[in-house]
Amino acid sequence: MAMSNADGKSLVIARVVAVLQKFNEIGLGLPEALAFLWVAGKTMQMDNPRLPIIKEIQTELGMKTISGASRVLAKLASDFGLLQSDRGIRGARAEAYFLSHKGRSLVAEIVNEINSSREYDVQSHELSSYAKARFIEGVKSTSLSITKLDDAGLICEIMLDDTALKSEVLSWSHDNLSPETKIELRESGFVIEFADMSDAVYFRLRW
């Protein structure tokens, strides 16, 4: 017997309620649930080698302040273990987040709850796959134009005419990269020599 429109809508609502109940069971409030789903959607875009950063999450979800968004994301990472941050590479402050193994498992449960006809295998970026996509495979940054890269991957020439962005990049590099990092300013941009691969990967993931 074919399902009526009313039956179909009731089924959809029932599945959405089941998902909300799942979030409630593990203690996620609405801000945390929305942030988790947004990060999940971003990190499941395997053709997009860019970590979602706190500012984007704050803007997209309409949160009032970056600090508020940061607290929500930190809670999802530290209290619930559903997200991971890029803190592990370099930097005093985590800026970007992506799904943890536990987070991917929860996404699979949610998708399977909504689409009960089949099991869904969640694929999403991890820190290593972001590094590979952005650095090893040489996918271009959305913010900077990197024109040359040495074989070891520790020296790159960056073309950048935007004075404000150049200042932002240099300030970020000073605050987050090793003191041994060498930066040579040029009229059309700058050349940066990273102290190690960790710094190089962190820079490419951020910019």
Side-chain angles (χ1 to χ4, degrees):
M1 180 181 295
M3 182 182 296
S4 69
N5 286 339
D7 290 339
K9 291 176 181 177
S10 296
L11 181 59
V12 169
I13 292 173
R15 289 175 176 172
V16 170
V17 169
V19 170
L20 294 175
Q21 288 176 334
K22 188 177 294 291
F23 283 143
N24 186 59
E25 287 171 4
I26 62 178
L28 288 187
L30 183 59
E32 291 83 11
L34 290 174
F36 170 74
L37 291 173
W38 192 86
V39 172
K42 283 291 184 180
T43 54
M44 288 168 65
Q45 296 175 14
M46 299 302 290
D47 60 342
N48 177 28
R50 186 168 182 271
L51 287 164
I53 62 174
I54 293 175
K55 177 61 178 176
E56 290 175 331
I57 297 166
Q58 178 220 350
T59 301
E60 290 292 330
L61 298 183
M63 296 181 177
K64 293 182 179 180
T65 63
I66 290 180
S67 60
S70 181
R71 285 193 296 271
V72 168
L73 294 164
K75 186 175 182 180
L76 285 167
S78 61
D79 294 358
F80 296 100
L82 297 173
L83 301 181
Q84 289 179 282
S85 78
D86 64 352
R87 186 191 298 268
I89 296 185
R90 180 80 65 189
R93 180 179 178 185
E95 293 185 312
Y97 286 84
F98 51 97
L99 287 175
S100 66
H101 176 74
K102 184 178 179 180
R104 289 193 297 277
S105 297
L106 179 58
V107 171
E109 290 181 36
I110 291 170
V111 175
N112 292 333
E113 187 71 51
I114 295 173
N115 184 21
S116 59
S117 60
R118 66 183 181 90
E119 291 293 312
Y120 185 77
D121 180 27
V122 173
Q123 294 191 11
S124 71
H125 276 298
E126 299 175 353
L127 192 56
S128 58
S129 65
Y130 269 113
K132 181 179 179 181
R134 289 292 298 276
F135 190 71
I136 299 173
E137 293 180 354
V139 176
K140 291 183 179 179
S141 166
T142 56
S143 300
L144 307 180
S145 175
I146 298 178
T147 59
K148 294 181 181 178
L149 194 68
D150 73 319
D151 293 338
L154 295 178
I155 303 176
C156 63
E157 181 179 349
I158 298 169
M159 306 297 292
L160 186 57
D161 295 325
D162 187 323
T163 302
L165 181 56
K166 182 189 295 186
S167 177
E168 182 182 354
V169 173
L170 293 174
S171 177
W172 180 91
S173 299
H174 175 76
D175 291 341
N176 293 279
L177 301 181
S178 301
E180 294 81 9
T181 301
K182 299 177 182 177
I183 299 177
E184 178 188 343
L185 294 178
R186 296 186 176 179
E187 185 175 348
S188 58
F190 54 91
V191 174
I192 182 167
E193 181 178 351
F194 301 103
D196 53 35
M197 186 60 69
S198 175
D199 270 359
V201 171
Y202 189 40
F203 182 88
R204 291 297 296 274
L205 286 174
R206 175 62 182 85
W207 300 102

